[in-house]
Amino acid sequence: MDKVSPQQARRHANMAAIRSKDTKPEMIVRKGLWKRGFRYRLNHNRLPGHPDLVLRKYRTCIFVNGCFWHGHNVALPQIHNSQLIIHNSECCKIPKTNRDFWVAKIRRNKERDKEEQKKLAEMGWHCITVWECELKPSKREDTLDSIAFTLNHIWLQDHQAKVVPYPKQDEEDMQMPMAAE
Ligand SMILES: [Zn+2]
């Protein structure tokens, strides 16, 4: 069994804490959306999962996820008879040393992400997850355009639902007999 010393664990926790504050990928998303005319609030502490960006008008939370910490494209199998088969993805390679520790940690993060987004959905929020690897220079602008597209789509959908003119027919029906009298 691999073990991680308390110092190691603390160091990784520190690294995670540092990374979660004003990390570069998050800055890219912020600047890219700002440039495209979107306005947002940052690190909304009262919402589940403390979304990185909150766009009230679009009722949308955006999470900018590090591929390693959130296990992008990695399907983590259950440990069975201490056999562990892991399919690494291109952007999330689980270290060979202390494998159990990392698998457990990444699995926990993935589960937490799922729970938090479920809570947000129940509160009526849309969630968009942006992955670090989608923000590489070669993909960046496309990714930002597609977030903008998604936000506009969300707005249209929500807005359309609200402006369905359902009372009109009723009003007319009610007025009809009066008009006939
Ligand atoms: Zn990735």
Side-chain angles (χ1 to χ4, degrees), residues 14-177:
N14 283 341
M15 272 162 55
I18 291 162
R19 284 173 58 95
S20 72
K21 277 214 169 182
D22 293 338
T23 51
K24 212 177 159 222
E26 198 192 311
M27 287 304 294
I28 294 167
V29 176
R30 280 195 220 168
K31 283 187 184 153
L33 289 183
W34 187 271
K35 207 174 79 185
R36 285 164 176 78
F38 294 95
R39 298 298 176 255
Y40 43 78
R41 291 180 62 181
L42 304 174
N43 301 104
H44 210 296
N45 288 330
R46 272 173 301 176
L47 288 175
H50 304 170
D52 296 310
L53 286 79
V54 175
L55 293 94
R56 230 166 225 296
K57 183 180 159 192
Y58 299 83
R59 201 125 181 110
T60 297
C61 298
I62 298 183
F63 293 89
V64 185
N65 281 356
C67 294
F68 176 73
W69 294 99
H70 298 266
H72 189 203
N73 285 334
V74 173
L76 295 172
Q78 300 295 324
I79 302 165
H80 220 60
N81 299 330
S82 60
Q83 268 299 86
L84 196 63
I85 305 149
I86 298 165
H87 300 285
N88 285 316
S89 68
E90 205 151 303
C91 54
C92 177
K93 305 212 187 304
I94 297 169
K96 291 223 163 48
T97 49
N98 299 321
R99 197 145 246 229
D100 293 349
F101 170 82
W102 292 115
V103 167
K105 175 140 192 79
I106 291 167
R107 177 180 284 128
R108 236 177 2 252
N109 287 346
K110 278 168 87 83
E111 277 162 8
R112 199 184 303 131
D113 292 346
K114 227 163 120 188
E115 299 256 305
E116 282 159 352
Q117 297 206 2
K118 205 180 132 207
K119 273 187 216 153
L120 284 166
E122 281 164 6
M123 292 164 71
W125 288 89
H126 303 273
C127 290
I128 297 175
T129 299
V130 188
W131 294 94
E132 196 181 352
C133 66
E134 297 168 335
L135 297 168
K136 286 193 289 200
S138 60
K139 293 190 180 175
R140 192 171 295 170
E141 292 304 308
D142 282 351
T143 300
L144 291 164
D145 283 345
S146 109
I147 300 168
F149 180 86
T150 305
L151 286 168
N152 287 326
H153 187 74
I154 285 170
W155 189 86
L156 274 176
Q157 261 190 335
D158 284 1
H159 196 69
Q160 267 167 5
K162 274 177 213 140
V163 297
V164 169
Y166 70 89
K168 217 174 174 190
Q169 192 59 47
D170 289 352
E171 272 167 31
E172 274 169 14
D173 290 347
M174 278 164 67
Q175 279 163 15
M176 280 279 276

